[in-house]
Amino acid sequence: MNKLWGGRFEKEMAGEAEEFLNSLSFDARLWRQDIRGSIAHARMLGRQGIIDLDEAEEIVGGLEQIRDDIEKGTLEFDPGAEDIHSFIEACLVERIGEAGKKLHTSRSRNDQVATDLRLYLKDEIESLGNLLLGLIGALVQRARENKETIMPGYTHLQRAQPITFAHHLLAYCEMLRRDYARLRDCYKRTDVCPLGAGALAGTTFPIDRPYTARKLGFRDIADNTLDAVSDRDFVAEFIFAASLIMTHLSRFAEELILWSSSEFGFVALDDAYTTGSSIMPQKKNPDVPELVRGKTGRVYGHLTGILTVLKGLPLAYNKDLQEDKEAVFDTVDTVRGCLGILIPLVETLQANEERMRAAAGQDFTNATELADYLAWHDVSFRDAHRIAGQVVLYCISKGKRLEDLSLKEYNTFSPAFDSDVYEYISIEACVARRDLPGGPAPSAVAMEIAELNSWLEDIRSFPWSQPVPEEE
Ligand code: ARG
């Protein structure tokens, strides 16, 4: 395929250099955005009298035809093209001739590619945001069903205090809600139009940048042409937001793996989302959460990758920036895949209430309550803590639980203990009493669920971008 820039060269490019520099194999993914951007640019050229109106119409018609043909599968990408931008422009010229050669007036591939990538990422951020809401919704639903399901809460992976399964699931909802807010925030800075920045210094043609920005649904134009073509902060920000999503998903995945082991037995993954072993007939493996945990690595890798590409890069465009795309595409695919599979996995997750309740009743998870009991009976908390510790030590030596001691035994540690201590330290009471805002008690959890549900409803109808105006 002929180069867009062949005029100055005396000989053909070496095959291996061409292959090395080629980006069509991955940036073909931007074909819709590239055509969309070119249509807006061509309309602007016509409106501004930079090209004739009928030439602009011819270009738009040709581009629409190319779009339809790619959609139908009747036009295939020519692997000889340097990138998606060259490919579409060459197709246009091939189809409509002279007018097609005017499309690139007052434009460079540098502002073109930055525009395409922003258009692409805006759509993907929105769609990943909606998937996040889907996962939050699934977790909230499971929390609603498990408001009363008591489980042990952990610190240091040691049983610590009893909580509810709902409370644990809602903790993930809060992480994902912050992730969602980060996507919304990153969207704002992605939603800025670089088109018109040209190669680096704009153009002398009387272009109308706000018009093309509006046409493409951007909220604003980029304020500096040099920055417009070299800024990939939005890419780094997006991959960071995606990395933190993966951090949260990997923590959740890890807990699912632990909880579904025989050692815990708190949950069972549905057969539809597990795998067997090729040698051990009894195995049921949590491959899905394991792969979510594993895929976190590649997203972190992309974050390091893009930051390193940008580090020390002189203004403005450099070919290094071509490396942004695979990082973005793979990040989008990875996060989409992980969110997409976790939603049905959560929906079909079986909770084993008996196992959770039994575990919550072991290892003195109510010892804090015993200390609190004394603190309510005029013993300072420090002394109460020490006395409760001595009671625990005594129980360990006798192989008993706190509930099993007689009042007489209790009174050898402190006269403050009375017969109401048993009710006070019951696991159910420990949980129910923690009804502070954000706490694990069924009543507190119900409030958090109600709050999350109303947030979900509001945020779903909150628009992401400007509406694209009708023909001006
Ligand atoms: N394929 C290139 C990229 O992705 C398009 C921009 C090329 N611009 C240039 N001056 N070589 O960055």
Side-chain angles (χ1 to χ4, degrees), residues 85 142 196 250 440 472:
H85 326 290
R142 299 318 306 271
S250 75
E472 298 173 38

Side-chain angles (χ1 to χ4, degrees), residues 23 27 82-83 85 109-110 113 317 319 321-322 325:
S23 59
D27 68 16
E82 195 179 321
D83 53 28
H85 326 290
R109 274 184 299 162
N110 298 349
V113 71
Y317 179 85
K319 187 75 166 179
L321 291 176
Q322 181 168 290
K325 277 169 275 313

Side-chain angles (χ1 to χ4, degrees), residues 15-53:
E16 58 270 36
E18 212 165 314
E19 204 178 307
F20 179 69
L21 295 170
N22 187 288
S23 59
L24 186 79
S25 62
F26 51 87
D27 68 16
R29 195 193 278 230
L30 296 174
W31 66 269
R32 274 178 200 286
Q33 290 77 16
D34 197 70
I35 292 175
R36 210 176 139 203
S38 288
I39 289 176
H41 180 69
R43 290 228 156 92
M44 182 279 293
L45 292 177
R47 273 178 106 235
Q48 296 298 103
I50 298 170
I51 62 175
D52 292 342
L53 273 175

Side-chain angles (χ1 to χ4, degrees), residues 394-412:
Y394 175 79
C395 283
I396 293 171
S397 74
K398 298 277 173 202
K400 290 183 174 179
R401 297 173 311 152
L402 293 176
E403 294 87 324
D404 303 331
L405 299 188
S406 67
L407 190 55
K408 217 168 122 208
E409 285 174 298
Y410 268 122
N411 287 140
T412 63

Side-chain angles (χ1 to χ4, degrees), residues 9 33 35 70 93 106 113 157 176 204 229 233 237 250 259 262 316 354 367 405 411 415 419 422 457:
F9 291 83
Q33 290 77 16
I35 292 175
I70 297 177
V93 173
S106 77
V113 71
L157 207 54
L176 299 177
T204 55
V229 289
D233 292 1
E237 268 189 62
S250 75
W259 290 345
S262 307
E354 295 76 48
L405 299 188
N411 287 140
S419 57
Y422 299 101
E457 203 181 303

Side-chain angles (χ1 to χ4, degrees), residues 3-289:
K3 292 278 168 292
L4 295 173
W5 37 259
R8 182 236 178 275
F9 291 83
E10 291 178 15
K11 61 176 177 183
E12 288 287 296
M13 204 176 172
E16 58 270 36
E18 212 165 314
E19 204 178 307
F20 179 69
L21 295 170
N22 187 288
S23 59
L24 186 79
S25 62
F26 51 87
D27 68 16
R29 195 193 278 230
L30 296 174
W31 66 269
R32 274 178 200 286
Q33 290 77 16
D34 197 70
I35 292 175
R36 210 176 139 203
S38 288
I39 289 176
H41 180 69
R43 290 228 156 92
M44 182 279 293
L45 292 177
R47 273 178 106 235
Q48 296 298 103
I50 298 170
I51 62 175
D52 292 342
L53 273 175
D54 47 340
E55 287 173 324
E57 274 318 303
E58 234 186 303
I59 294 173
V60 170
L63 288 168
E64 287 174 344
Q65 221 184 66
I66 292 171
R67 183 185 58 203
D68 295 346
D69 290 350
I70 297 177
E71 214 148 56
K72 280 188 296 205
T74 51
L75 175 61
E76 274 174 32
F77 301 113
D78 172 358
E82 195 179 321
D83 53 28
I84 188 62
H85 326 290
S86 326
F87 171 74
I88 288 172
E89 192 178 324
C91 287
L92 182 71
V93 173
E94 199 182 292
R95 289 178 179 211
I96 68 167
E98 281 308 302
K101 294 193 206 158
K102 296 193 175 178
L103 169 63
H104 213 54
T105 314
S106 77
R107 186 177 70 168
S108 156
R109 274 184 299 162
N110 298 349
D111 55 345
Q112 187 178 356
V113 71
T115 305
D116 292 1
L117 191 61
R118 283 173 184 268
L119 284 172
Y120 166 84
L121 199 50
K122 278 177 54 177
D123 285 348
E124 296 300 344
I125 291 175
E126 181 173 343
S127 119
L128 292 178
N130 290 335
L131 272 174
L132 265 180
L133 296 186
L135 182 55
I136 295 172
L139 288 165
V140 170
Q141 179 53 33
R142 299 318 306 271
R144 216 212 309 248
E145 298 156 13
N146 286 283
K147 289 203 285 278
E148 318 263 344
T149 308
I150 290 177
M151 73 179 288
Y154 292 81
T155 65
H156 312 270
L157 207 54
Q158 308 284 321
R159 289 176 190 145
Q161 289 176 337
I163 57 168
T164 46
F165 190 42
H167 190 229
H168 203 123
L169 295 176
L170 292 177
Y172 284 101
C173 291
E174 299 302 339
M175 295 175 223
L176 299 177
R177 178 146 73 152
R178 292 194 294 275
D179 289 333
Y180 182 85
R182 260 183 290 275
L183 286 183
R184 283 271 182 178
D185 195 50
C186 160
Y187 187 97
K188 284 186 223 152
R189 281 176 294 278
T190 306
D191 197 11
V192 172
C193 188
L195 199 60
L200 71 161
T203 176
T204 55
F205 288 97
I207 61 170
D208 183 349
R209 293 191 61 204
Y211 170 84
T212 41
R214 270 198 311 279
K215 273 279 175 223
L216 294 170
F218 283 107
R219 72 172 168 85
D220 204 356
I221 60 170
D223 285 330
N224 178 295
T225 61
L226 271 182
D227 180 48
V229 289
S230 55
D231 171 26
R232 294 294 185 276
D233 292 1
F234 65 100
V235 170
E237 268 189 62
F238 166 70
I239 302 180
F240 172 72
S243 295
L244 219 40
I245 292 175
M246 292 306 297
T247 301
H248 298 146
L249 298 188
S250 75
R251 293 181 81 171
F252 183 50
E254 170 67 10
E255 299 217 276
L256 289 172
I257 294 162
L258 285 173
W259 290 345
S260 61
S261 68
S262 307
E263 281 71 10
F264 279 79
F266 290 178
V267 300
L269 304 183
D270 193 273
D271 278 6
Y273 299 99
T274 49
T275 54
S277 155
S278 61
I279 175 169
M280 297 167 283
Q282 84 285 9
K283 289 301 293 286
K284 177 170 162 179
N285 293 328
D287 282 24
V288 170

